[in-house]
């Protein structure tokens, strides 16, 4: 028998776990443009954000420090599943017949099955410390809602989740998992909020979107002094918390004796991509390595590749600060693809800024190519990916196939940010041959972009 | 803030991973009675088993060697998720207010999400080595089928699975996961086999049972010279492969500086329980430790606590060898509880023998108590257990509550043999208050036991 089943796992000891989060702003040639108050149109200050976030998180949102210390109480929880493993995908490489070496950092080992607890835990921690009783949030596919419900269970906080309607209907198991952790889930748009009732008047909103669910969760938190809001992506402090992924992967690639030529991550709001790539971007800016860094977005929701760079609202109802970002328009409702976690109209302002600085690339891939890649991956590596990281796998396989043509010894690093245990209906649909690609005709995007506010 | 979120994880390095499986037969005061040929009623020989198993596995079935070397090719695959973590359940202890220390060995980190790949991988490995083209098997909840489909994908073997009807209907995601790994799933009883067609004539069989599914898988393997059969529990070689769990846990408890007073595992066919407890039983027989070892079975299928110790068939149709075991009768169809993996009429002959020797205890627990325990566990430890190990958790919590009364510093070790990501409908039912306990009236059991063959 040959050694085709061989696979390498690179494991760090707990004392090699990062004790700081990395803030890429400290190393960029210019800072990202500030968020603007939606009424005054001037930069928001900490006081504007206090109804929604505790001061510790607000300070992390605006800090220019290169490193932020991870509290001991957060490290105690991280240790349940961190450091997460890095795998070399020998079996996939063999199937592809590529000279490329493919590594994947696997975040599905967390209790919620994705990278989201990396930020859910510190957000719950700082809120508990500040006396918050309840956290409200939105969720798409449900990964973020699950992670926050898990974190709230640990700190004895109430957790109330507005789930995007399309995902609520298609993925009941995620809702059940949130409820098992003690959280409450509402289908969004709901009739529990003024904004939900208003938006539900337009049938195009019935399938919901992250933008709508955010509006609802923000409204409830803003009205209740004992409640605050938690966001699963987009904002600087969320991206900051996810950098433990890249910091660990840097050490693990050193263990493997390899240097990445390509870093590939899927992007919805951008937290998984930033978490993986920013520590490598630091090394790239310092001239120590030179990987090509590529964000992979779904063809249905291509904020980087087809959106505009402009100030826009983070939510559909226009209740949040204005964020300078690549956006498809705050009332854009993407096709209900299986990767519910990538259905967000905007890209994180920090990633948008890095993209404008020319420090990274982006590509959009339709979902059938993603599931084709995922099936190859599952049958060789033995892990069924969530629909979101199938986008990164599809790009990794494109690069590996290119390497096969050119003979180059490409070294690809990607993040497998979650498992697909709650997404098997999508695999079933793909296997039955009934999965379709998204509608990517131009007017689908142009209508929503016409509604972006004209600022600056 | 207090340290209530603190938890301890005990991790072994890869070079501490066991390189041998442990065979408890070598240390027992007497050997277990041999399996008998169903026609001749004399002990089966290797030749009788060759249509179903490769010689390597048959030799492991009958060996009296204390240790069996794990092939390098199997270790290569084990390393993807092994050594698995041992956790101290600080948060659960705190919730219970118990002086007991509770440890759990977590096997849900495997690609299939349970302990089953520990034996699926070597079974596929030895079959591949022997030229087998296809493996057939049964599955209850689907954990075993998933594990075998994963292992078959790695070794490029066909995998055909008969799934117990009740689980097939209630848990479509497990079937989809098997299909994602490339396996084929049939609802059992099926019309693809003579035995399936025959048994389906009685409506009581429509919900299926492991015994029926085994009959179907064995029939197909026996008729096809290029196919063999793989069993997920019960047989000696399957229990042998699972001993990596207990061997690792022994080392991990040493790291923790603790000695178990109680070892608790759930039992269906018995492989998880044996895998956890047999290495500790070796230490107990050698006089080095003295834990109480307890098997926990579902009230619906109490083979140890309410069955008889007799020769009986492993399957419903009477195609397998006769096994001396605690049995409820080979045509017993248990209530369709959520713990589909525990719905087997018999107990592994080796565990039955150990039980008869007085080296372990057994208890049966109804499912609502199990889910009550599981919810406490999920909301403190952050992991949603599969329905099967909720039985062990319920007993662990009983022991922890006893310790609270007596003040004893009990040290409880259990195995969390799988996650419940595919079982959330059961949690939802429990949370809604609509879960009912099983029917445990005596005549339910007595009818099937009347059909046990009268031998010896």
């Amino acid at each position: 028998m040959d050694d085709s089943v061989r696979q390498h796992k690179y494991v760090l000891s707990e004392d090699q776990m990062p004790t700081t989060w990395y803030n890429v702003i400290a190393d960029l040639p210019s800072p990202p443009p500030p968020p603007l108050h939606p009424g005054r149109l001037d930069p928001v200050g900490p006081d504007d954000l206090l109804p929604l976030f505790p001061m510790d998180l607000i300070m992390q949102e605006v800090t220019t420090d290169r490193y932020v210390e991870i509290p001991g109480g957060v490290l105690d929880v991280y240790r349940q599943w961190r450091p997460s493993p890095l795998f070399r995908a020998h079996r996939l490489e063999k199937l592809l017949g590529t000279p490329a070496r493919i590594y994947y950092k696997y975040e599905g080992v967390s209790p919620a099955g994705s990278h989201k607890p990396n930020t859910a835990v510190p957000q719950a921690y700082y809120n508990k410390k500040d006396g918050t009783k309840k956290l409200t949030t939105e969720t798409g596919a449900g990964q973020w809602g699950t992670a926050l419900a898990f974190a709230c269970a640990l700190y004895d906080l109430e957790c109330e989740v507005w789930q995007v309607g399309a995902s609520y209907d298609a993925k009941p198991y995620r809702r059940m998992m949130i409820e098992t952790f003690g959280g409450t889930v509402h289908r969004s748009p709901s009739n529990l909020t003024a904004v939900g009732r208003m938006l539900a008047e337009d049938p195009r909103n019935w399938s919901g979107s992250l933008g709508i669910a955010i509006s609802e969760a923000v409204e409830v938190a803003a009205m209740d002094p004992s409640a605050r809001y938690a966001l699963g992506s987009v904002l600087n402090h969320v991206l900051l918390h996810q950098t433990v992924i890249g910091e660990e992967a840097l050490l693990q690639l050193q263990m493997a004796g390899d240097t990445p030529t390509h870093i590939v991550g899927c992007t919805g709001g951008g937290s998984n991509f930033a978490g993986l790539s920013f520590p490598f971007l630091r090394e790239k800016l310092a001239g120590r390595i030179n990987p090509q860094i590529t964000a992979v977005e779904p063809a249905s929701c291509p904020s980087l590749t087809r959106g505009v760079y402009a100030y826009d609202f983070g939510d559909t109802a226009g209740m949040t600060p204005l964020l300078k970002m690549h956006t498809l328009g705050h009332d854009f409702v993407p096709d209900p693809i299986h990767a519910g976690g990538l259905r967000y109209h905007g890209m994180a302002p920090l990633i948008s800024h890095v993209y404008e600085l020319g420090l990274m690339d982006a590509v959009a891939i339709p979902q059938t190519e993603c599931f084709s890649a995922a099936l190859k991956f599952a049958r060789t590596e033995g892990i069924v990916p969530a629909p979101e990281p199938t986008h990164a796998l599809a790009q990794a396989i494109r690069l590996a196939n290119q390497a096969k043509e050119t003979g180059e010894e490409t070294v690809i690093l990607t993040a497998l940010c979650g498992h697909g245990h709650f997404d098997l209906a999508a695999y079933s649909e793909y296997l039955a041959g009934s999965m379709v690609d998204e509608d990517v005709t131009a007017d689908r995007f142009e209508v929503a972009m016409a509604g972006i506010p004209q600022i600056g």
Side-chain angles (χ1 to χ4, degrees), chain A:
Chain A
M1 293 176 76
D2 66 20
D3 69 346
S4 64
V5 299
R6 191 150 161 261
Q7 196 201 35
H8 274 111
K9 176 175 64 172
Y10 300 94
V11 182
L12 300 174
S13 64
E14 285 190 6
D15 55 17
Q16 291 175 293
M17 199 166 86
T19 56
T20 56
W21 292 301
Y22 169 61
N23 177 18
V24 76
I25 292 170
D27 289 315
L28 293 178
S30 64
L36 302 181
H37 189 280
R40 303 189 312 258
L41 299 184
D42 61 357
V44 294
D47 287 351
D48 296 318
L49 297 173
L50 268 177
L52 294 184
F53 304 109
M55 188 53 83
D56 282 322
L57 290 175
I58 294 170
M59 295 316 292
Q60 291 182 359
E61 186 64 24
V62 299
T63 185
T64 55
D65 292 349
R66 180 170 286 114
Y67 294 101
V68 176
E69 197 179 345
I70 307 175
V74 170
L75 289 173
D76 281 342
V77 181
Y78 275 0
R79 279 192 199 97
Q80 182 173 354
W81 70 95
R82 306 211 70 83
S84 70
L86 178 81
F87 292 102
R88 166 108 182 256
H90 278 290
R91 299 177 201 143
L92 177 63
E93 292 168 18
K94 187 172 171 180
L95 176 76
L96 300 173
T98 179
R101 297 193 286 283
I102 305 173
Y103 294 89
Y104 59 99
K105 177 78 170 159
Y106 185 40
E107 292 292 310
V109 293
S110 84
S114 77
H115 65 299
K116 295 292 188 185
N118 295 333
T119 184
V121 170
Q123 289 194 52
Y125 171 89
Y126 290 118
N127 270 289
K128 180 70 176 184
K129 194 178 150 200
D130 205 46
T132 306
K133 302 293 179 204
K134 177 164 91 173
L135 285 175
T136 70
T137 198
E138 78 293 334
T139 199
Q143 292 180 335
W144 167 241
T146 306
L148 195 68
F150 157 68
C152 285
L154 298 187
Y155 295 101
D156 199 20
L157 294 167
E158 270 185 78
C159 181
E160 199 169 358
V161 181
W162 275 260
Q163 184 173 21
V164 174
S167 293
Y168 183 97
D169 298 338
K171 301 183 180 182
Y173 271 33
R174 275 283 178 199
R175 167 179 59 74
M176 294 176 193
M177 187 145 174
I178 295 170
E179 290 167 350
T180 297
F181 282 140
T184 306
V185 187
H186 310 295
R187 189 189 186 283
S188 172
S190 77
N191 62 11
L192 298 167
T193 64
V195 69
R197 288 187 294 270
M198 183 189 77
L199 291 169
E201 285 173 15
D202 183 343
R204 285 173 304 172
N205 289 328
W206 288 350
S207 69
S209 72
L210 283 167
I212 295 171
I214 292 171
S215 294
E216 296 201 87
V218 165
E219 179 184 316
V220 171
M223 309 283 265
D224 179 349
S226 69
R228 282 208 173 97
Y229 167 70
L231 189 65
S233 191
V234 179
L235 296 180
N236 295 350
H237 69 272
V238 182
L239 275 51
L240 178 80
H241 299 155
Q242 293 294 354
T243 56
V244 289
I245 302 171
E247 294 288 14
E248 289 179 5
L250 262 172
L251 297 176
Q252 288 164 312
L253 274 179
Q254 280 168 20
M255 283 173 76
D258 238 331
T259 306
T261 59
H262 293 81
I263 293 172
V264 176
C266 65
T267 44
S271 74
N272 160 66
F273 173 78
L276 175 70
S277 67
F278 282 179
F280 288 90
L281 181 54
R282 174 187 67 215
E283 301 303 306
K284 180 174 171 145
L285 289 165
R288 287 187 282 268
I289 55 174
N290 192 27
Q292 188 183 20
I293 299 175
T294 305
V296 191
E297 48 190 21
S300 62
C301 201
S303 56
L304 284 171
T305 54
R306 298 183 72 165
V308 293
Y309 186 51
Y311 271 107
D312 197 4
F313 296 105
D315 69 326
T316 301
M319 298 165 68
T320 69
L322 288 154
L323 303 171
K324 186 79 180 271
M325 60 185 178
H326 292 84
T327 175
L328 296 160
H330 59 276
D331 57 2
F332 177 65
V333 177
D335 265 8
I337 56 166
H338 290 286
L342 306 184
R343 293 176 70 237
Y344 185 63
H345 66 276
M347 183 49 56
L350 194 46
I351 292 174
S352 294
H353 181 60
V354 168
Y355 188 59
E356 286 296 309
L357 289 170
L359 298 171
M360 57 174 276
D361 306 307
V363 61
I365 301 187
Q367 72 176 354
T368 56
E369 181 179 341
C370 298
F371 276 87
S372 167
L375 215 63
K376 287 188 180 77
F377 184 87
R379 291 182 180 179
T380 51
E381 297 300 309
I383 301 172
V384 179
E388 291 78 10
T390 66
H391 291 76
L393 292 173
Q395 175 66 8
I397 287 177
R398 282 185 184 183
L399 292 169
N401 285 335
Q402 281 171 24
K404 191 176 170 180
E405 281 172 30
T406 63
E408 271 182 290
E409 284 197 20
T410 310
V411 178
I412 304 161
L413 169 67
T414 188
L416 186 61
C417 58
H419 62 62
H421 296 172
F422 301 97
D423 307 287
L424 285 160
Y427 282 88
S428 207
E429 187 181 309
Y430 178 79
L431 287 167
S434 52
M435 182 179 285
V436 292
D437 277 331
E438 1 348 19
D439 174 10
V440 294
T441 49
D443 58 355
R444 184 161 177 94
F445 304 113
E446 282 159 9
V447 171
M449 284 194 281
I452 297 170
Q454 303 294 313
I455 292 161

